[in-house]
Amino acid sequence: KKKYKKNFLSKLSGSEIYITLEPCSKKGKTGACVDELKKYDFKRIIIGSRDPSQNGLDNLRKAGYEVKIWNRTKSKADALVNAGASLVDTPSDLATVDVLFTMVSTGKDLRQVYFGDVGVMSGDHTPKILVECSSISAPESAEFRKVVSDRGAEYLACPVSGNGKCVKAGKLSAVASGDKNTFDKVKEILECYALRGVSYVGEGELSRFCKIAHNVLLGVYIQNLAEITILAQAAGVPRHAFLEFINNSVLGSIFSQYKTPALVNLDWTTTFTPPLLRKDMDLGLQAARELGVSMPVTAATREALQTHFGSSTLKDDPEAYLAADFSALIETVALQAGIKLEPENIDVKTGLEV
């Protein structure tokens, strides 16, 4: 291990590194990521998003690093610019980095980032290693992997579990698949933002199946959580009291707790949308058909989710409603029970406070 780390260090010296989230400056299970990065003498560190709970960007700049970032919506990077970072104008400006991380909504979006007119691989150059963190299908990922391989680069599929709040609270995890040597090269980087752990599950696109299965569970979980919460309310139990009990029980989870404020106070600030959840449920059911696996609960949940799309037509702006958080489907469950929900206006914790 010591010999490997020494060789790894010599190879990284003077190179560029691309990281999705600002490196942490606080010590956790694996120590402060900023301290680790300083050891490798990178020429440039490029980050995708500022983490307001950390001051890693400031620490890196003080250590003499030039920090560059890129975001599809430049205004979302304003905080980074104000902190002294510089924006990369297009994805093609990242074509020569050593490690490129991407995270977008769909395979179509990724294709644009990779191969669009100003995509990362629109020219002759290709990053040495591409780490792809989006939730896309295994066939799409395999197609991208082949193109990257044909260009002489390495490709690792590495989707994550958790939203922005989980990142800030240090509760993000990741699952990776691809060549084990590629994984070993970037594992220490992955652990900088996936503080709950990075699981290597094998070759090819196996991590894609893990993430799709993960999001199928997400759909089943939120649907049933909404149903039992409305059941309790119909019996006379306030939502906040019932969810407090669930969160304190053996069945409580990080997910049930951080969704509690939304379900109690009807705050649909977006973390994940119903269309994206439906896409992943469909991907899961497609994989089940191809592999001969019966998933009746998933199929029923997918149809329950579809009713939310129908009930959205009752809203003044259906499109905006479906762009809100998927936890809003509790309103559809309540509608089917003849219950009109009102915010309880109770201060409840997410469990992700930092």
Side-chain angles (χ1 to χ4, degrees):
K1 183 176 180 181
K2 290 182 179 179
K3 181 179 178 182
Y4 166 75
K5 292 188 74 172
K6 183 177 180 181
N7 292 338
F8 188 64
L9 173 60
S10 63
K11 291 180 180 179
L12 288 182
S13 179
S15 65
E16 294 183 345
I17 181 172
Y18 190 93
I19 304 173
T20 51
L21 182 72
E22 177 181 351
C24 70
S25 58
K26 301 174 183 177
K27 291 185 178 180
K29 283 199 238 179
T30 56
C33 301
V34 166
D35 294 339
E36 281 296 313
L37 288 170
K38 289 177 182 178
K39 298 177 183 178
Y40 292 93
D41 193 26
F42 289 111
K43 176 178 70 176
R44 182 175 294 121
I45 296 174
I46 305 168
I47 68 171
S49 179
R50 184 77 192 268
D51 183 348
S53 71
Q54 305 290 343
N55 59 353
L57 175 59
D58 296 332
N59 285 348
L60 289 170
R61 290 182 63 243
K62 289 175 182 177
Y65 293 104
E66 179 185 358
V67 180
K68 298 172 68 176
I69 57 172
W70 180 80
N71 194 297
R72 289 186 295 174
T73 305
K74 286 191 174 183
S75 61
K76 292 183 179 180
D78 286 346
L80 296 169
V81 174
N82 293 336
S86 58
L87 279 171
V88 173
D89 291 329
T90 66
S92 60
D93 294 329
L94 303 174
T96 58
V97 299
D98 289 311
V99 183
L100 174 75
F101 285 74
T102 51
M103 184 183 292
V104 292
S105 297
T106 67
K108 181 180 178 181
D109 295 326
L110 182 60
R111 189 178 303 278
Q112 186 65 27
V113 171
Y114 275 177
F115 310 116
D117 292 340
V118 290
V120 175
M121 290 176 277
S122 59
D124 297 330
H125 297 290
T126 305
K128 294 178 182 177
I129 299 176
L130 291 89
V131 181
E132 213 303 293
C133 306
S134 311
S135 296
I136 61 175
S137 70
E140 286 176 313
S141 186
E143 177 188 349
F144 293 132
R145 183 185 298 278
K146 184 178 185 309
V147 174
V148 170
S149 178
D150 289 345
R151 293 175 68 106
E154 300 174 64
Y155 179 95
L156 190 74
C158 192
V160 302
S161 173
N163 58 25
K165 291 181 179 178
C166 288
V167 174
K168 295 173 184 176
K171 295 184 178 181
L172 193 80
S173 64
V175 57
S177 64
D179 185 83
K180 183 60 163 56
N181 290 330
T182 302
F183 172 74
D184 289 338
K185 290 176 186 177
V186 298
K187 182 181 178 182
E188 292 187 7
I189 305 173
L190 300 174
E191 290 174 341
C192 286
Y193 62 84
L195 297 185
R196 281 183 65 85
V198 183
S199 302
Y200 175 75
V201 294
E203 299 287 336
E205 315 312 322
L206 292 179
S207 65
R208 301 297 186 188
F209 286 97
C210 292
K211 181 56 191 289
I212 293 304
H214 168 283
N215 282 10
V216 164
L217 178 60
L218 179 71
V220 172
Y221 198 132
I222 188 63
Q223 177 66 31
N224 193 249
L225 186 61
E227 290 175 2
I228 62 175
T229 301
I230 293 302
L231 174 64
Q233 178 171 335
V237 182
R239 294 193 302 279
H240 74 273
F242 173 72
L243 290 169
E244 179 183 25
F245 161 67
I246 291 295
N247 291 332
N248 289 337
S249 76
V250 296
L251 297 179
S253 66
I254 294 174
F255 177 74
S256 67
Q257 186 165 357
Y258 86 65
K259 278 302 173 191
T260 292
L263 300 177
V264 169
N265 298 320
L266 311 186
D267 177 4
W268 311 137
T269 301
T270 305
T271 61
F272 194 55
T273 67
L276 290 177
L277 178 59
R278 182 174 64 176
K279 177 207 73 172
D280 290 346
M281 298 290 286
D282 286 341
L283 287 174
L285 289 168
Q286 178 184 347
R289 287 191 294 271
E290 293 172 353
L291 296 173
V293 177
S294 176
M295 299 177 66
V297 174
T298 301
T301 301
R302 196 276 183 202
E303 295 311 305
L305 174 62
Q306 185 62 39
T307 65
H308 184 65
F309 287 77
S311 66
S312 71
T313 61
L314 302 175
K315 300 293 183 179
D316 293 335
D317 189 342
E319 185 176 351
Y321 186 61
L322 290 175
D325 194 68
F326 70 111
S327 56
L329 62 82
I330 193 175
E331 291 189 322
T332 296
V333 176
L335 178 66
Q336 294 167 337
I339 296 174
K340 180 175 175 54
L341 294 183
E342 298 291 344
E344 292 186 352
N345 298 319
I346 300 292
D347 183 21
V348 289
K349 302 299 183 184
T350 65
L352 301 178
E353 288 77 15
V354 294

